[in-house]
Amino acid sequence: MYSIDKNLNAIQKINEKSFSELGFKEREHLQEWILKEPESLGEDFLIIQKEFDGFNGTYERLDLLAVDKQGNLVIIENKLDDSGKDVTWQALKYASYCSTLKKDQIRKIYQEFLDKEANGETAEENLIEFFEVGDFSEVVINSGQTQRIILIAANFRKEVTSTVLWLLNYKLRIQCFKVTPFENNGTLLLNIEQIIPMRESEEYVISMADKTQESINTQEKLKLKDSPAEFWKEFLKKMNEKSTLFHHVNPSERKYILGLTGISGILWGQSIVKSAASTEIYLGRKSKEKNKFIFDELIKSKEEIEKQFGESLNWERLDNKDACRIRGPMMENVNYTNKDDWSKMIGFMVDSILRMEKAFKEPLSRVKLKL
């Protein structure tokens, strides 16, 4: 910062100071300055409490609590020369605590503050005046997730600025104000500057945050639409009415689920892709040799199994892999993301696995005795 000497047509540097070298303290000075002049933060705030500690089960206290003209609660955290690395987390906690405050609680909190100030004012009248309404019933405060955060410090650590910039993408209203004391020929000055988001780009940052959130919401909707879990939930509901094969299974995001045959490492499989559904018996024991042995024993009963099943199966020994599988028929031209296909897919899959269980029951029993 510089002063202008009109006579000399020159500028002279004003010495920047730190709060500590000037003997200023956080609560006694900076907090009181903001309390008495909240408009120094660039808009009209009503301070409703300081050193607020009305959080159940905690001993924490926030520096200043305010409301803005839109009825949002504003958590104001002041630091002096150094923001510290945990101020963001601290403020987020306070915002979460305050998110549950109801209008009558806020009025009470404000009234307690006014009573301490001993100025004879009433919270209800001040709120009516601040929000420019005719009656307290028209005052709307802290509606929904509308809490704001303001951080004030002479210097902000990288951990803080990085976190704040990231949070802005999620539409959290959070601002950082850099406060710098100066001394000029015995006169003390204070510069208060909004640095995140920069005042000139705040509207742009907010619009970009809206766009980011819209993109996130769209991705979540697409993810939900493409989620196998909803399909498996319906499948398991129908399957469990017929058999206990999948009783231990919970719906998941995987495109396959595995049921128990009663033999370790040998599992019933149900799988879905975007254009087909199929069933199988999966030989997945830890030993490749045992998997090949089980497969070779079962294929000896191929004719018996397929006759009992009612149609041909696909026998895949998979010699280059540890596991083996025997696939049932595949239903094609269906899509698990299309609910209109669910009924026929589920009917097909339930029928296939039940027939497969019946067809393999005796052959598996014989194999089990040889393991």
Side-chain angles (χ1 to χ4, degrees):
M1 182 181 290
Y2 292 83
S3 63
I4 301 173
D5 189 322
K6 294 178 68 175
N7 294 324
L8 297 177
N9 192 26
I11 58 175
Q12 181 178 0
K13 187 174 182 180
I14 299 176
N15 295 323
E16 181 178 329
K17 298 289 185 178
S18 68
F19 288 109
S20 57
E21 68 179 305
L22 293 173
F24 290 127
K25 296 182 179 180
E26 179 184 314
R27 292 181 181 176
E28 293 179 28
H29 299 105
L30 181 59
Q31 181 170 289
E32 290 299 313
W33 301 340
I34 302 300
L35 170 64
K36 293 172 182 176
E37 196 65 38
E39 290 185 2
S40 62
L41 299 177
E43 59 184 285
D44 197 0
F45 292 119
L46 179 65
I47 305 294
I48 62 172
Q49 190 54 275
K50 70 174 180 179
E51 296 297 319
F52 179 58
D53 60 355
F55 307 128
N56 292 333
T58 78
Y59 297 96
E60 298 175 287
R61 60 177 64 197
L62 62 83
D63 293 338
L64 294 172
L65 183 61
V67 292
D68 65 15
K69 282 291 190 178
Q70 289 72 48
N72 304 313
L73 282 183
V74 185
I75 289 81
I76 302 174
E77 275 301 297
N78 307 300
K79 303 297 178 184
L80 282 178
D81 295 315
D82 183 2
S83 68
K85 64 181 181 180
D86 297 322
V87 64
T88 318
W89 168 236
Q90 185 180 11
L92 286 171
K93 285 192 296 181
Y94 296 154
S96 73
Y97 298 156
C98 291
S99 66
T100 61
L101 292 175
K102 296 178 174 59
K103 183 166 77 170
D104 285 337
Q105 291 175 297
I106 293 169
R107 172 174 56 179
K108 181 181 177 183
I109 290 166
Y110 185 26
Q111 188 61 59
E112 290 172 353
F113 171 69
L114 292 175
D115 291 343
K116 289 178 186 176
E117 298 293 307
N119 56 14
E121 298 176 6
T122 67
E124 190 167 309
E125 290 176 355
N126 283 3
L127 288 166
I128 289 171
E129 181 180 351
F130 180 74
F131 288 109
E132 301 177 13
V133 295
D135 186 79
F136 187 68
S137 62
E138 300 175 57
V139 173
V140 178
I141 308 177
N142 204 31
S143 176
Q145 300 300 313
T146 59
Q147 299 75 40
R148 295 175 55 186
I149 293 172
I150 290 179
L151 305 178
I152 303 172
N155 293 287
F156 287 90
R157 295 198 187 187
K158 185 177 180 180
E159 299 97 319
V160 175
T161 56
S162 176
T163 304
V164 168
L165 289 169
W166 181 78
L167 287 169
L168 284 170
N169 282 327
Y170 293 89
K171 299 186 70 173
L172 182 68
R173 290 288 304 280
I174 183 166
Q175 297 158 282
C176 292
F177 284 82
K178 180 180 174 66
V179 286
T180 310
F182 293 88
E183 184 178 29
N184 185 33
N185 297 324
T187 299
L188 296 180
L189 306 169
L190 184 70
N191 184 54
I192 302 177
E193 178 186 8
Q194 180 177 323
I195 59 169
I196 299 179
M198 292 182 64
R199 183 76 68 181
E200 297 81 3
S201 62
E202 186 168 12
E203 185 176 338
Y204 172 76
V205 171
I206 292 172
S207 67
M208 288 302 294
D210 288 339
K211 183 177 180 181
T212 299
Q213 196 61 44
E214 182 180 342
S215 176
I216 291 170
N217 292 338
T218 300
Q219 290 174 16
E220 288 299 318
K221 287 178 182 178
L222 290 173
K223 182 180 177 182
L224 182 61
K225 183 179 178 182
D226 194 42
S227 169
E230 289 300 310
F231 173 83
W232 289 128
K233 183 178 179 181
E234 287 300 309
F235 168 81
L236 290 169
K237 180 180 177 182
K238 296 295 183 182
M239 184 73 221
N240 292 338
E241 292 173 359
K242 303 281 187 178
S243 169
T244 62
L245 295 179
F246 293 88
H247 269 193
H248 67 292
V249 177
N250 292 316
S252 75
E253 294 298 329
R254 295 178 305 203
K255 293 183 180 179
Y256 66 90
I257 56 174
L258 299 172
L260 303 177
T261 65
I263 303 176
S264 176
I266 304 179
L267 303 164
W268 302 117
Q270 299 276 25
S271 62
I272 50 175
V273 292
K274 281 198 172 181
S275 60
S278 65
T279 59
E280 66 182 52
I281 184 169
Y282 181 76
L283 313 181
R285 294 172 72 99
K286 291 182 180 180
S287 169
K288 178 178 180 179
E289 290 72 22
K290 285 190 176 181
N291 290 329
K292 304 310 175 187
F293 170 78
I294 295 168
F295 182 91
D296 292 340
E297 288 297 310
L298 288 174
I299 203 168
K300 292 176 183 178
S301 304
K302 180 175 182 292
E303 185 176 345
E304 171 194 346
I305 291 170
E306 292 184 344
K307 181 178 179 181
Q308 181 67 47
F309 182 71
E311 55 188 304
S312 298
L313 299 169
N314 295 307
W315 297 76
E316 302 175 14
R317 195 171 191 273
L318 305 176
D319 291 330
N320 59 335
K321 296 184 178 180
D322 291 344
C324 307
R325 64 183 171 221
I326 305 162
R327 288 184 180 273
M330 182 175 289
M331 173 176 273
E332 298 182 312
N333 300 317
V334 289
N335 192 326
Y336 73 86
T337 65
N338 181 1
K339 286 191 175 183
D340 292 338
D341 287 345
W342 284 13
S343 179
K344 58 185 176 183
M345 288 174 69
I346 291 170
F348 169 81
M349 294 167 76
V350 170
D351 173 70
S352 293
I353 205 69
L354 291 177
R355 287 191 292 125
M356 190 171 281
E357 180 199 20
K358 187 176 181 180
F360 279 91
K361 185 175 182 180
E362 288 302 321
L364 280 175
S365 298
R366 294 194 294 267
V367 169
K368 187 175 181 180
L369 294 174
K370 297 181 181 181
L371 293 176

